[in-house]
Amino acid sequence: MTYCVGLLLRDGMVLLSDTRTNAGLDNIATYRKMFVFEDTGERVITILTAGSLSVTQTTIARLRDAMDDPESTPETSIMKAPTLLKVAELVGNTLARVRSDIDEKLSAMGQGASASMIVAGQRRGGAMRMFLIYPEGNFIEATEDTPFLQIGEHKYGKPILDRVVKAHTSLADAQKAVLLSMDSTLRSNLSVGMPLDLAVIERDACRVTLRRRIEAGDESFRAMSDAWSNALREGFTRITV
Amino acid sequence: MTYCVGLLLRDGMVLLSDTRTNAGLDNIATYRKMFVFEDTGERVITILTAGSLSVTQTTIARLRDAMDDPESTPETSIMKAPTLLKVAELVGNTLARVRSDIDEKLSAMGQGASASMIVAGQRRGGAMRMFLIYPEGNFIEATEDTPFLQIGEHKYGKPILDRVVKAHTSLADAQKAVLLSMDSTLRSNLSVGMPLDLAVIERDACRVTLRRRIEAGDESFRAMSDAWSNALREGFTRITV
């Protein structure tokens, strides 16, 4: 399983992903699920992935190949596409093709493979945009009303986001919110695991302004997690039914 | 959908269920999902249900029929069964038979029906016990280590239980915990809805010692929900990353 979350706020975008993959409970590994493509000051695109690793790796590999191709065009490369909407379409189409290819191979075994992605970015002169790409290649977009998108194991970490994240939330509070959302998920679902990848993209910077890998023993993450547990328990104690 | 939760604590048991059922999003109704069978001071059994209404209603009806049958025996009636384990087996077998009957009818349409239940109770001289019955009729039991069971939409409401519920939690705190767990679920899943049914069974009382229906406009529930939101927001504000 996986948990990835992206926040689209007035001041910028905050993205967080875990790194655990598993084929059964007895085969656990660590893979990066956050991919950053950057032409500093011109364009930044971040892709978060959830689902079958064979689907997500192949999709990212094909997107990279298309980018690196010396004959790439705005129709084929996400780094040349004229708009972020076009980027989402390119990612969606690539994902849908890969999924369909792999699904066909697996169907003989009565199995299937699927994946979804969050695509977030900005190009110079354009607006920040964030999309959730479904396995079929279609997508939805984050808005002022619903400024966050989640993929993977989204339920445990949703209540905190529902309560504290608004479009005007500061980037500092947004980092806290996604980390606490992840903390709740880590506690409840073993198939979501450290280390974590955090990225912050300030509005109009067109580059990743903060990037941090949070390892399993990270002191500040543990302190925050403990403080949150204490705050919840204190709040709980104070409430009267 | 549904959310039902049961806590098995040293001082007693606390049970909470919602009442929303739906056949599609455009056909929503209110049905009780908590059923109490009581021979005051001798035996109390509470059943919480989740899943296909046709399965749960038929299962409860058959259990009642068996109880009311003048020729009922300890082998057929949950009110005569010698132990709570036997009660769980009776409920499990009845559920599995009903589910299999209905599944067979539905399979012609390529559909299926399923249901799960929480069975909690005590007989005079016995221990309090709480079981989660799976659609196939097998079951697991709550223990000191994991003193709560959930059926239906369990994920949104699990983090609060994980953090505050221990076997030695007081019955007052336990009521708060299940109500806050339900509150998080109500916020995130429209197919879980008010009114709520709450029951408390004090240890060795062998009867439901508190029973409360919480209607949609309930002032104390709303106040508790608001207080919890405030506590979360305050706690969130105080934490530094």
Side-chain angles (χ1 to χ4, degrees):
Chain A
M1 203 81 185
T2 289
Y3 178 46
C4 298
V5 53
L7 271 49
L8 174 69
L9 309 167
R10 290 192 194 150
D11 295 347
M13 297 188 286
V14 175
L15 301 139
L16 182 69
S17 61
D18 83 314
T19 53
R20 182 158 295 175
T21 65
N22 64 299
L25 268 174
D26 53 353
N27 187 355
I28 286 176
T30 299
Y31 282 94
R32 180 175 287 275
K33 299 171 191 174
M34 179 183 287
F35 302 89
V36 175
F37 306 96
E38 196 178 287
D39 177 3
T40 308
E42 287 296 321
R43 173 179 308 227
V44 59
I45 296 168
T46 305
I47 302 181
L48 309 179
T49 64
S52 166
L53 190 62
S54 68
V55 174
T56 60
Q57 282 190 335
T58 308
T59 304
I60 296 292
R62 286 204 194 163
L63 290 171
R64 269 195 221 281
D65 275 2
M67 242 179 277
D68 296 342
D69 184 343
E71 289 171 19
S72 73
T73 69
E75 298 298 312
T76 62
S77 162
I78 60 171
M79 293 309 276
K80 290 185 176 168
T83 64
L84 258 293
L85 181 70
K86 187 70 196 163
V87 170
E89 283 174 11
L90 265 170
V91 175
N93 292 341
T94 308
L95 171 60
R97 266 196 305 273
V98 170
R99 190 194 61 80
S100 151
D101 288 355
I102 294 180
D103 239 13
E104 204 174 310
K105 289 191 182 76
L106 293 181
S107 65
M109 305 290 285
Q111 298 182 323
S114 185
S116 52
M117 299 189 172
I118 290 174
V119 175
Q122 188 177 21
R123 62 187 173 81
R124 189 159 59 85
M128 297 181 297
R129 297 180 77 170
M130 187 178 291
F131 301 89
L132 191 165
I133 319 271
Y134 292 109
E136 294 75 17
N138 56 332
F139 48 79
I140 60 170
E141 187 171 359
T143 64
E144 282 254 320
D145 287 333
T146 303
F148 62 86
L149 295 171
Q150 304 170 289
I151 51 177
E153 175 58 279
H154 65 282
K155 291 188 178 183
Y156 295 117
K158 188 160 179 284
I160 174 77
L161 301 178
D162 278 334
R163 285 175 204 262
V164 305
V165 176
K166 309 277 175 256
H168 55 75
T169 299
S170 73
L171 292 180
D173 278 355
Q175 289 177 61
K176 239 194 316 187
V178 295
L179 289 169
L180 292 175
S181 173
M182 179 65 80
D183 183 52
S184 294
T185 311
L186 291 169
R187 277 171 186 263
S188 292
N189 190 330
L190 266 187
S191 70
V192 177
M194 308 274 276
L196 310 176
D197 288 311
L198 176 73
V200 178
I201 300 171
E202 283 175 31
R203 182 197 184 108
D204 296 334
C206 290
R207 63 182 181 89
V208 173
T209 38
L210 173 84
R211 204 167 166 180
R212 184 176 155 209
R213 169 154 282 206
I214 300 163
E215 299 287 346
D218 189 274
E219 277 303 321
S220 69
F221 184 73
R222 193 182 323 173
M224 191 201 65
S225 170
D226 290 346
W228 182 235
S229 281
N230 291 336
L232 288 182
R233 272 193 290 265
E234 275 170 35
F236 181 81
T237 307
R238 281 205 311 274
I239 288 173
T240 50
V241 183
Chain B
M1 202 83 184
T2 288
Y3 178 46
C4 298
V5 53
L7 270 48
L8 174 68
L9 309 166
R10 289 192 194 151
D11 295 347
M13 297 189 285
V14 175
L15 302 140
L16 182 68
S17 62
D18 84 313
T19 52
R20 182 158 294 174
T21 66
N22 63 300
L25 269 174
D26 52 354
N27 188 356
I28 285 176
T30 300
Y31 281 93
R32 179 176 288 275
K33 299 171 192 175
M34 177 183 287
F35 302 89
V36 175
F37 306 96
E38 197 178 288
D39 177 3
T40 308
E42 287 296 321
R43 175 179 305 229
V44 59
I45 296 168
T46 304
I47 302 181
L48 309 179
T49 64
S52 165
L53 190 61
S54 68
V55 174
T56 60
Q57 282 190 336
T58 306
T59 304
I60 296 292
R62 286 204 194 163
L63 290 170
R64 269 195 220 282
D65 274 1
M67 245 178 275
D68 296 343
D69 185 344
E71 290 170 21
S72 72
T73 70
E75 298 298 312
T76 62
S77 162
I78 60 171
M79 292 310 276
K80 290 186 177 167
T83 64
L84 258 293
L85 181 69
K86 187 72 197 163
V87 170
E89 283 175 9
L90 264 170
V91 175
N93 292 341
T94 308
L95 171 60
R97 267 197 304 275
V98 170
R99 190 193 61 80
S100 151
D101 288 355
I102 293 180
D103 240 12
E104 204 175 309
K105 289 190 181 77
L106 293 181
S107 64
M109 305 290 285
Q111 298 183 323
S114 184
S116 52
M117 299 189 172
I118 290 173
V119 175
Q122 189 176 19
R123 61 186 174 82
R124 191 158 58 85
M128 298 180 297
R129 296 180 76 172
M130 187 179 291
F131 301 89
L132 190 166
I133 320 272
Y134 291 110
E136 294 74 17
N138 56 332
F139 47 81
I140 59 169
E141 187 170 0
T143 65
E144 282 252 321
D145 287 333
T146 304
F148 62 87
L149 295 172
Q150 304 171 290
I151 51 176
E153 174 59 279
H154 65 283
K155 291 189 179 183
Y156 296 117
K158 187 159 180 285
I160 174 78
L161 300 178
D162 278 334
R163 284 176 204 261
V164 304
V165 176
K166 310 275 176 257
H168 56 76
T169 299
S170 73
L171 293 180
D173 277 357
Q175 289 177 61
K176 238 191 320 188
V178 295
L179 289 169
L180 292 175
S181 173
M182 179 65 81
D183 183 52
S184 293
T185 312
L186 291 169
R187 275 171 187 263
S188 292
N189 190 329
L190 267 187
S191 69
V192 177
M194 308 273 277
L196 311 175
D197 289 310
L198 176 73
V200 178
I201 301 172
E202 283 176 31
R203 182 196 183 108
D204 296 333
C206 291
R207 62 183 180 89
V208 173
T209 38
L210 174 83
R211 203 166 167 182
R212 185 175 154 210
R213 170 155 281 208
I214 300 163
E215 298 288 345
D218 189 274
E219 278 302 323
S220 69
F221 184 74
R222 193 181 324 172
M224 191 201 64
S225 170
D226 290 347
W228 183 236
S229 280
N230 290 337
L232 289 181
R233 272 193 290 263
E234 275 171 35
F236 181 80
T237 308
R238 281 204 311 275
I239 288 173
T240 51
V241 184

